[in-house]
Amino acid sequence: MSMNVKKNDTVIVLSGKDKGKQGKVLSVDPKGGKVIVEKVNVASKHQKPRQQGQEGGIIQKETPLYACKVMTVCPKCSKPTRPAYKVEDGKKTRVCKHCGAEI
């Protein structure tokens, strides 16, 4: 499955409870078609201390969401865009469809 989103991209959430939120992509799962975005889709998890000195309690953790629910944000014009691809000198680069800047 080909994905338009890569690690460290800034993305905006298109649908769901976190619609409109922006964040950095922390990890990508191309096989499952999911991404984990910083401070988006946060779930509370009850964690028991596993080692001596480790604290237990309720921790906040980002959970995966489908890659089709996010769109890359151009760093130059800061508009959500589906990247276009250009081949120059045998190298494939992602380009913003609005301003033409390299993503």
Side-chain angles (χ1 to χ4, degrees), residues 21-46:
K21 284 189 182 177
Q22 280 193 10
K24 193 172 95 172
V25 176
L26 300 174
S27 70
V28 176
D29 174 23
K31 198 170 182 181
K34 294 188 175 192
V35 292
I36 295 177
V37 183
E38 193 175 37
K39 294 180 184 152
V40 173
N41 203 25
V42 177
S44 298
K45 180 182 175 184
H46 296 258

Side-chain angles (χ1 to χ4, degrees), residues 4-21:
N4 290 326
V5 184
K6 287 185 167 43
K7 190 177 175 181
N8 295 325
D9 277 356
T10 304
V11 294
I12 189 165
V13 181
L14 301 174
S15 65
K17 63 175 184 171
D18 294 317
K19 182 180 179 176
K21 284 189 182 177

Side-chain angles (χ1 to χ4, degrees), residues 12-87:
I12 189 165
V13 181
L14 301 174
S15 65
K17 63 175 184 171
D18 294 317
K19 182 180 179 176
K21 284 189 182 177
Q22 280 193 10
K24 193 172 95 172
V25 176
L26 300 174
S27 70
V28 176
D29 174 23
K31 198 170 182 181
K34 294 188 175 192
V35 292
I36 295 177
V37 183
E38 193 175 37
K39 294 180 184 152
V40 173
N41 203 25
V42 177
S44 298
K45 180 182 175 184
H46 296 258
Q47 193 169 39
K48 200 172 175 181
R50 294 284 170 206
Q51 295 172 338
Q52 194 77 33
Q54 185 183 1
E55 276 192 43
I58 301 168
I59 60 162
Q60 304 284 24
K61 189 177 182 188
E62 290 99 352
T63 54
L65 67 154
Y66 284 106
C68 62
K69 291 183 179 271
V70 298
M71 190 175 267
T72 310
V73 176
C74 175
K76 189 180 175 191
C77 66
S78 66
K79 287 183 183 174
T81 181
R82 195 181 305 136
Y85 293 92
K86 267 190 186 166
V87 179

